[in-house]
Amino acid sequence: MDADAVLAEQQRLAALQPSAWYPERTPLEVAAAVVTYGCGGQGHSGADEPAWASAVLLRGSQLIAARVLEGVARAGYVPALLAVREGPLLAAAVESLGTRPDVLLLAAAGRDHPRRAGLALHLGAMLDVPSIGVTDRPLLARGAQPGAHRGDTSPLLLHGAEVARWVRTATGVRPLAAHAAWRTTATVAATVLLTTTSGVRTPQPLREARRLAREARDRRRVERPGW
DNA sequence: GCGACAG
DNA sequence: ATCTTGTCGC
């Protein structure tokens, strides 16, 4: 899928009205997927870079599945086109899990996007799984900072609509943005973010996925230096 | 002096 | 994102 196809697909997805999903089961089965890059040096945003994608599935705090794939990022990073760079790798990693999670966590925006369909929404729709995005900062949405304690939140608005929410996941750390994505609202995104963070800033599934992807990359760096 | 539009 | 140095804003 090239950039033009992604643009068209995102516009189509943004106009859909999928049924809303709400967390009802306990413990929740939450999956997360990430991509990490490896060439060495500073600045990783180019095309044809070696990349490692990992996906994990947790039931509550229990890790029940994990996969790591080695691949290549076809496109460089372009704001608002993250799906072109990371979509294929992330989709392959999640599909390799071979199971359907209740919800999928991705380090990307959802409705907070110029076409109202960032990578988190795009991938959820593509895989037919409710999804939420978790990022350090919003893409286009704006909002006042939340309170200083764990659980404090504040709305992130785009053209008057709440597309994401600042969430203080732990007292004394910078807040994270919880993004409404495929079949989810900012409220649900914030709830899932808080249920997956206890004492730490980053949600457990995302931490585990990152750890595994970096581990695979660093292992490969030793075996094939200069790659 | 160089940026603040996800990763 | 990744690597790193400094701790702060037009």
Side-chain angles (χ1 to χ4, degrees), chain A residues 10 13 33 77-84 86 90 104-125 131-142 156 158 163-165 176-182 184 189 206 210:
Chain A
Q10 290 180 338
L13 293 174
Y77 170 69
V78 177
L81 285 175
L82 188 59
V84 180
E86 300 193 346
L90 291 171
L104 174 63
L105 259 55
L106 296 160
R111 309 216 95 109
D112 171 21
H113 185 271
R115 288 172 294 284
R116 300 292 198 289
L119 172 59
L121 184 149
H122 193 152
L123 213 62
S131 62
I132 74 171
V134 178
T135 64
D136 280 335
R137 58 175 192 266
L139 181 56
L140 299 174
R142 292 286 112 103
L156 279 164
L158 180 60
V163 294
R165 193 173 291 182
L176 285 171
H179 296 260
W182 186 242
T184 56
L206 235 26
R210 285 202 180 107

Side-chain angles (χ1 to χ4, degrees), chain A residues 194-205:
Chain A
L194 281 169
T195 64
T196 51
T197 50
S198 49
V200 292
R201 183 170 102 108
T202 308
Q204 220 57 63

